[in-house]
Amino acid sequence: MLPRYDRYFILWVFIVFILISASPVFAQEKNQSGYFPGIIHFYQEYISPVDGDRCAMHPSCSQYMKKCVKKHGLLTGWIMGCDRLVRCGRDEVKISSPVWADGKKFTYDSVENNDFWWSDK
Amino acid sequence: MKKIFLSIFVGILLFSPVVGFSGESVVVDAQKQYELAQTLFEEKEFSAAAHEYIRFFYLFPNHEKAARARYKTGVSFFYAGRFEDAARHLEKTAADFSDSRFAPDAMFKLSELYVATDDPGKAASVLRNLITLTRNPQVYDRACFMLGWLLLDKADVFKSRSDYKVYPVKEAEKYFSMISLEGKKKYRIDDSITSLKKIHHLKKKTPAVAGALSIIPGGGFLYCERYRDALVSFLLNSSLILAAYQSFENDNYFLGGALSFVEAGFYAGNIYGSVSSAHKYNKNKQKEFIDKMSFQTGFINNSVGLIFKYDF
């Protein structure tokens, strides 16, 4: 069991980290897409075929996160990807336009649809 | 002796039967060359048409149709989907034939091309240049009209640009008001200006409020009327926070750390998603309003409105 002081310290570090990471200002970093897309690639290659093609969005959540990391760096890409996982297949379906791919209907939700309010790229 | 042989040799050469080229010779004149390019264009063979227009321009650079050929080269490349080549030729038309009536057409087409290639900033610059340069009142009105609609249609894209200090809807109003009385009648812009004033009274969501409310996971989504997202965000975040807390309480620091790391992403994602949802909400409201307005004012039926058919 950690002492009370250390627990508060960890809690504060945690809060500071998440508040800083939520700031788009820190999203300008580039070329940080080293290992993270590798993990996504592993998921796409080995887990997704077993898990099944269940994502209702286009691009799929893993592709979306990969694109986010490529475009905005590791930290913002991770945050945007987590946001997408929460939104996948729910209220976004009513708001965004549908697209058809391989005879299936998907909801179009590109990176640009979600970073237009702060990104020039 | 040598002279005799030489004379015989020359004689044989001169009088031997020679197979001649007696085929029909074809002379390509400017009219024929232009017609060929035009035919290919009409048959929608745009790449071939572009090359024939280039040939025409190369062979007859001083012909009266040279400006038209250069412009049509750009248009052909545009329809062939070769946007870079199209932009190059259209820019050349505007620069090299600035006094020709094809210069403004080239600039209009260039702005259309930039909208098609998802670069509305450049499209707006081209139209602004045209407004500054032209002395033709009809071209001026058309450019103001198109720029106004472009700014409205892409208001959120322009707003996101750090170098764009003016509020696009206000700028659109400015350009609409610059249209002459005759132009206003032609484009039925009075109705648009009246309708446009209502855009400031649209019910909008404040992104900062959405972000602040998302301190409680899902609060921001709830504010943006995304109820299912709000519920999922709340349940997911609270479960992960609870799980991480329990792990630390039970001295399972590794699991607690891993859960905290995952939760950090979801919590930050919840804040990001809430702010983003507020922006999307406002964008959709504005888009709905503009679509309704363009329908009411007949903008969709107007030929110049075709600029937006390439919006993707």
Side-chain angles (χ1 to χ4, degrees):
Chain A
M1 185 80 183
L2 279 173
R4 200 177 171 78
Y5 172 78
D6 283 358
R7 269 191 285 164
Y8 278 122
F9 179 73
I10 289 171
L11 189 69
W12 276 113
V13 169
F14 174 71
I15 289 169
V16 168
F17 171 73
I18 52 181
L19 288 177
I20 288 172
S21 60
S23 165
V25 176
F26 288 83
Q28 302 300 324
E29 71 266 53
K30 287 171 190 166
N31 303 323
Q32 289 194 6
S33 49
Y35 296 105
F36 200 62
I39 299 167
I40 299 170
H41 183 73
F42 179 81
Y43 166 80
Q44 288 178 328
E45 197 75 8
Y46 300 104
I47 300 175
S48 184
V50 182
D51 185 40
D53 186 12
R54 293 184 291 112
C55 187
M57 318 286 266
H58 181 82
S60 69
C61 291
S62 57
Q63 284 172 330
Y64 176 88
M65 196 182 271
K66 220 173 176 177
K67 284 182 182 178
C68 288
V69 172
K70 214 170 185 181
K71 190 174 177 186
H72 297 303
L74 196 59
L75 188 63
T76 313
W78 165 237
I79 293 167
M80 287 178 77
C82 288
D83 162 49
R84 171 64 174 283
L85 288 170
V86 170
R87 291 185 294 105
C88 180
R90 278 174 277 277
D91 291 310
E92 200 65 45
V93 177
K94 288 185 278 178
I95 294 161
S96 297
S97 48
V99 283
W100 293 86
D102 301 327
K104 282 184 191 170
K105 191 182 173 187
F106 295 94
T107 302
Y108 185 70
D109 183 55
S110 63
V111 179
E112 288 70 30
N113 278 4
N114 293 284
D115 68 0
F116 69 93
W117 51 276
W118 61 272
S119 173
D120 292 356
K121 289 182 270 183
Chain B
M1 192 65 182
K2 270 185 186 174
K3 279 183 181 174
I4 293 168
F5 275 121
L6 192 66
S7 306
I8 292 168
F9 179 69
V10 172
I12 289 168
L13 276 181
L14 283 173
F15 297 104
S16 61
V18 178
V19 180
F21 294 97
S22 56
E24 197 183 328
S25 63
V26 178
V27 178
V28 178
D29 61 14
Q31 188 60 27
K32 273 184 188 165
Q33 180 61 39
Y34 191 84
E35 276 173 13
L36 172 65
Q38 190 64 21
T39 307
L40 288 166
F41 185 85
E42 281 161 12
E43 286 177 4
K44 295 186 169 41
E45 297 287 342
F46 295 118
S47 274
H51 289 113
E52 292 306 328
Y53 282 123
I54 290 172
R55 201 191 305 273
F56 174 89
F57 188 75
Y58 181 77
L59 292 172
F60 312 103
N62 299 318
H63 194 271
E64 57 177 11
K65 282 184 178 170
R68 187 197 291 259
R70 181 66 107 170
Y71 168 69
K72 290 283 244 180
T73 310
V75 176
S76 303
F77 277 133
F78 176 83
Y79 289 128
R82 290 172 58 178
F83 294 126
E84 277 181 29
D85 291 323
R88 196 161 41 84
H89 283 279
L90 291 170
E91 277 168 10
K92 273 275 186 192
T93 311
D96 296 349
F97 303 98
S98 52
D99 295 332
S100 140
R101 73 184 177 89
F102 292 101
D105 285 345
M107 289 179 88
F108 281 124
K109 201 74 194 167
L110 198 58
S111 69
E112 191 179 320
L113 182 146
Y114 287 131
V115 173
T117 51
D118 215 12
D119 197 345
K122 275 191 183 172
S125 301
V126 170
L127 290 171
R128 274 195 205 99
N129 282 347
L130 186 56
I131 289 166
T132 315
L133 294 172
T134 189
R135 289 189 198 100
N136 182 332
Q138 284 175 335
V139 171
Y140 182 86
D141 285 350
R142 189 180 160 195
C144 287
F145 180 68
M146 286 176 75
L147 182 55
W149 277 106
L150 178 67
L151 289 163
L152 280 183
D153 195 59
K154 303 283 179 191
D156 280 286
V157 180
F158 288 116
K159 259 167 76 183
S160 73
R161 289 182 49 166
S162 50
D163 59 334
Y164 206 89
K165 303 292 178 203
V166 190
Y167 184 55
V169 176
K170 284 218 165 132
E171 208 188 353
E173 277 182 272
K174 186 187 98 181
Y175 282 108
F176 284 149
S177 64
M178 280 159 63
I179 299 173
S180 68
L181 281 175
E182 220 171 88
K184 277 179 183 161
K185 255 186 210 168
K186 184 181 170 187
Y187 297 118
R188 288 192 273 169
I189 207 69
D190 279 332
D191 296 341
S192 304
I193 293 171
T194 314
S195 305
L196 201 55
K197 294 201 187 318
K198 293 178 193 161
I199 208 165
H200 303 296
H201 305 297
L202 280 179
K203 192 183 141 203
K204 288 190 172 182
K205 302 287 179 192
T206 315
V209 174
L213 287 173
S214 63
I215 291 199
I216 299 164
F221 285 123
L222 201 66
Y223 170 69
C224 296
E225 300 172 16
R226 299 173 74 132
Y227 306 113
R228 291 206 288 173
D229 289 348
L231 181 68
V232 170
S233 184
F234 179 75
L235 291 176
L236 186 72
N237 280 286
S238 49
S239 309
L240 282 168
I241 290 171
L242 193 68
Y245 179 78
Q246 287 294 327
S247 302
F248 282 122
E249 280 288 306
N250 296 323
D251 298 340
N252 199 341
Y253 301 119
F254 182 77
L255 181 64
L259 284 168
S260 298
F261 175 73
V262 174
E263 168 51 16
F266 278 103
Y267 191 80
N270 148 66
I271 299 172
Y272 182 90
S274 299
V275 177
S276 186
S277 295
H279 282 284
K280 280 201 244 180
Y281 181 93
N282 296 342
K283 185 185 171 186
N284 285 342
K285 283 279 168 197
Q286 191 161 301
K287 190 95 181 154
E288 273 171 27
F289 179 84
I290 290 165
D291 286 349
K292 203 173 152 192
M293 190 174 113
S294 61
F295 179 74
Q296 282 171 349
T297 54
F299 174 68
I300 285 167
N301 298 326
N302 198 307
S303 61
V304 292
L306 286 173
I307 191 170
F308 297 116
K309 81 177 179 179
Y310 296 97
D311 182 13
F312 41 63

